Amino acid sequence: MSSTSTSVLRADQIWLDGQLVKWDEGQVHVMTHALHYGLGVFEGIRAYRTHDGRLAVFRLREHIQRLFDSAHICMLKMPFTEDQLVDACLDLLRKQKDLFANGAYLRPVAFMGDGAMGLGAVNPTRVAVTAWDWGAYLGDKGVREGIRAKVSSFTRMHVNVNMVRGKISGQYVNSILAKREAVLAGYDEAILLDISGFVAEASGENIFMVNKKGVIKTPPLSSPILDGITRDTVLKMLRDSGRVVDEVTFTRDALYICNEIFLTGTAAEITPVREVDNRSVGAGKPGPIGTFVQETYFRTVRGMEPRYAEWLTYV
C-alpha cells in the first residue's frame, strides 16, 4: 500500500506518455510550458466498487471525449486516441485493482510540455493519468447534512473570456481564488455569479435549486458553466423520474428563499447546501428531491440501477 505525505492512498504507478512508470518517476521539467502559462486540460473520473465487489468507472467514455474536446478548443494536439486514453485509465486501475477497495479517482491530464517558451510557442503535448482514493470532496458530513456556501466576490468569467466547454487548467485560478475566499471566511464552498449577476456555478460544481413551488432549476449551458457530466447525469435521472427541470438563469436571492439546493460534480458527487450567505436553505437540511438524486446516483454508480448500466465500464 502506498500513500503520499498526507496519507492519501494512491496508485504505485502513473501512466505517462504511453507507458506505466513508478509514481515518483512521474515528473516533468520546470520549464514545462503549462507550468508557466496554464495551457493544459484535465478530467476527474471516479471508479466505484459496485455492489457485487467489482470495480467500475463511471461514464469513462464521456469524460475522455470531453478531454479531447477541451484539447481541441485549446489547439493542443493529442498524441493519443480516445480509445488509447480509455485503455490507459483501465490499465492503470487493473494494475492497482486490489489497492482501491473503496474505488478510485482518476485524473487524466494533457498539457503543453517543455521546449520553446513564450505565448506563441507550440511544444509537444504531454499526457498522463494518475489515480488515488479521494473521498467526499466536500466531506462526508457535508454529503449527509449539507454544507455552508458563500456567494463569492469573484465573478465567473464571461463566455468570451472563459472557454466554458473546456476543462482548462489555467481557468481554474478563478475557482481557486473563490474557494479560498470562502474557506477563509468560514464557509465550505463558493458560489460564483456571472457578469450579469445571475448564479453560474460553484467553484468546482454545477448547482441545482428547488423553489417553493417545487420547480427544479439549474443554470443553462448558455451561462458561463461547465457542461458537467454529473449535471447531465442528474438531469436524466430527474427527467426519467417524471420531474421537470428548467434550465434557466436565476438570481442569488432566489437561492436565499428556495427550498433546496444541491451541488453536482465528479469530485463532490451530490452534495446538499443547507445555508447560503448565513441564510438557511429551506429547513436547513437536505430536502426530498436532493435526497432522491443522491440515493439514485449512488445506487447507479454501484451498479444497482440496471437502466443506467451503460454508464459503467468494468475494470
Side-chain angles (χ1 to χ4, degrees):
M1 181 180 295
S2 301
S3 62
T4 64
S5 59
T6 54
S7 299
V8 175
L9 183 68
R10 46 81 166 170
D12 294 316
Q13 296 175 304
I14 288 174
W15 189 94
L16 179 63
D17 295 328
Q19 59 183 339
L20 289 170
V21 300
K22 293 179 180 179
W23 179 278
D24 292 338
E25 296 174 3
Q27 300 174 358
V28 295
H29 198 277
V30 71
M31 291 300 286
T32 295
H33 191 277
L35 177 62
H36 295 258
Y37 301 113
L39 190 58
V41 298
F42 69 97
E43 282 294 320
I45 312 171
R46 279 196 187 269
Y48 291 87
R49 283 287 174 188
T50 57
H51 69 100
D52 57 4
R54 292 186 289 171
L55 190 64
V57 187
F58 187 62
R59 302 196 71 171
L60 173 59
R61 178 66 64 173
E62 291 93 328
H63 279 286
I64 296 302
Q65 287 173 343
R66 189 172 64 181
L67 181 75
F68 275 73
D69 286 345
S70 298
H72 184 69
I73 289 169
C74 292
M75 300 179 74
L76 277 174
K77 186 176 180 180
M78 293 291 282
F80 302 96
T81 65
E82 288 184 16
D83 286 342
Q84 286 175 311
L85 264 292
V86 167
D87 289 342
C89 291
L90 295 174
D91 287 345
L92 181 61
L93 289 179
R94 288 187 187 112
K95 295 287 186 181
Q96 309 289 321
K97 196 170 183 179
D98 296 329
L99 187 63
F100 296 114
N102 299 315
Y105 183 91
L106 287 159
R107 172 54 58 84
V109 58
F111 54 94
M112 187 179 289
D114 59 295
M117 291 299 284
L119 300 181
V122 179
N123 300 329
T125 302
R126 307 287 304 276
V127 184
V129 182
T130 58
W132 67 93
D133 183 3
W134 202 1
Y137 178 65
L138 293 169
D140 291 330
K141 184 177 179 181
V143 171
R144 292 193 311 271
E145 301 177 11
I147 63 165
R148 300 177 66 241
K150 176 186 186 297
V151 173
S152 180
S153 70
F154 293 93
T155 301
R156 180 60 82 218
M157 295 177 286
H158 185 268
V159 293
N160 205 35
V161 176
N162 177 26
M163 298 293 99
V164 295
R165 293 298 164 267
K167 198 170 174 67
I168 300 167
S169 302
Q171 293 181 167
Y172 275 77
V173 171
N174 181 235
S175 292
I176 290 169
L177 294 173
K179 176 77 172 184
R180 287 186 176 178
E181 175 190 58
V183 171
L184 288 171
Y187 299 86
D188 302 301
E189 185 55 290
I191 295 172
L192 290 89
L193 309 179
D194 65 20
I195 63 168
S196 298
F198 294 106
V199 174
E201 58 187 354
S203 69
E205 305 88 21
N206 293 113
I207 186 168
F208 287 75
M209 61 92 89
V210 184
N211 69 15
K212 282 187 166 58
K213 295 181 179 180
V215 178
I216 308 167
K217 298 183 180 183
T218 193
L221 293 181
S222 56
S223 296
I225 66 171
L226 185 69
D227 185 1
I229 290 170
T230 310
R231 174 187 184 274
D232 177 74
T233 298
V234 169
L235 284 172
K236 181 163 179 58
M237 288 175 173
L238 286 168
R239 288 166 176 163
D240 284 352
S241 71
R243 294 173 171 88
V244 176
V245 185
D246 292 340
E247 297 181 63
V248 294
T249 56
F250 49 87
T251 57
R252 78 167 80 182
D253 53 2
L255 296 178
Y256 296 161
I257 60 173
C258 73
N259 280 352
E260 294 184 54
I261 302 171
F262 55 92
L263 307 179
T264 67
T266 296
E269 298 165 308
I270 314 298
T271 301
V273 178
R274 59 182 170 84
E275 186 180 302
V276 177
D277 289 347
N278 302 309
R279 295 163 174 86
S280 177
V281 175
K285 61 183 181 180
I289 292 178
T291 298
F292 162 79
V293 170
Q294 191 181 76
E295 290 175 351
T296 306
Y297 180 83
F298 284 124
R299 283 179 59 82
T300 297
V301 299
R302 290 172 182 137
M304 300 169 68
E305 288 285 348
R307 58 183 167 169
Y308 303 128
E310 64 182 19
W311 285 340
L312 297 177
T313 303
Y314 287 89
V315 176

